[in-house]
Amino acid sequence: MARKSSRRPAAVIDCADLDKAGVLRALDAAFGLGEQFGANFDALYDGMAELIQEKGGFELELDNWSARRMTRKSAETLLAVFSELAEEFGPGHVRVRVISFRCFCYL
């Protein structure tokens, strides 16, 4: 196993109006998945697994999830990729928060 960095990469991705390809491009841009990244869910799993091995984990916030343009199946598959990574690498290595919408109230 490669040596782990003391700092985990973190990203916030605004999913508003993003389709499957857009979300995958955003993940690649945020985490630098490399030239071998094939912009599909299998390649995402492989790239994120390599990132976990190198950096010890990652944190991700998927913002405006309810405004995404992904199909339901693609959205479920994306979340399943992160769930499988968490199962494989154990607790604390994968932190993903899904934010459907934000509400601000000024009093």
Side-chain angles (χ1 to χ4, degrees):
M1 184 188 291
R3 185 174 179 185
K4 296 177 187 173
S5 169
S6 61
R7 184 171 175 162
R8 291 184 191 187
V12 176
I13 295 178
D14 185 352
C15 296
D17 296 322
L18 292 183
D19 59 3
K20 173 186 171 183
V23 170
L24 290 171
R25 278 192 303 272
L27 287 164
D28 181 25
F31 292 111
L33 299 177
E35 292 179 20
Q36 77 283 357
F37 181 62
N40 60 61
F41 293 123
D42 289 333
L44 176 65
Y45 183 92
D46 294 341
M48 298 306 283
E50 186 174 315
L51 180 73
I52 293 168
Q53 291 172 343
E54 291 175 1
K55 304 289 185 175
F58 67 90
E59 296 182 21
L60 172 63
E61 184 173 295
L62 299 171
D63 207 5
N64 292 312
W65 184 250
S66 60
R68 73 195 183 282
R69 289 188 354 208
M70 298 175 82
T71 65
R72 178 179 287 232
K73 181 178 180 184
S74 290
E76 289 172 352
T77 303
L78 177 67
L79 296 178
V81 166
F82 296 127
S83 178
E84 290 171 13
L85 286 165
E87 286 179 23
E88 180 177 341
F89 290 96
H93 294 288
V94 177
R95 293 185 184 205
V96 178
R97 289 184 359 166
V98 176
I99 309 296
S100 290
F101 62 92
R102 294 186 187 270
C103 179
F104 299 97
C105 181
Y106 299 98
L107 300 176

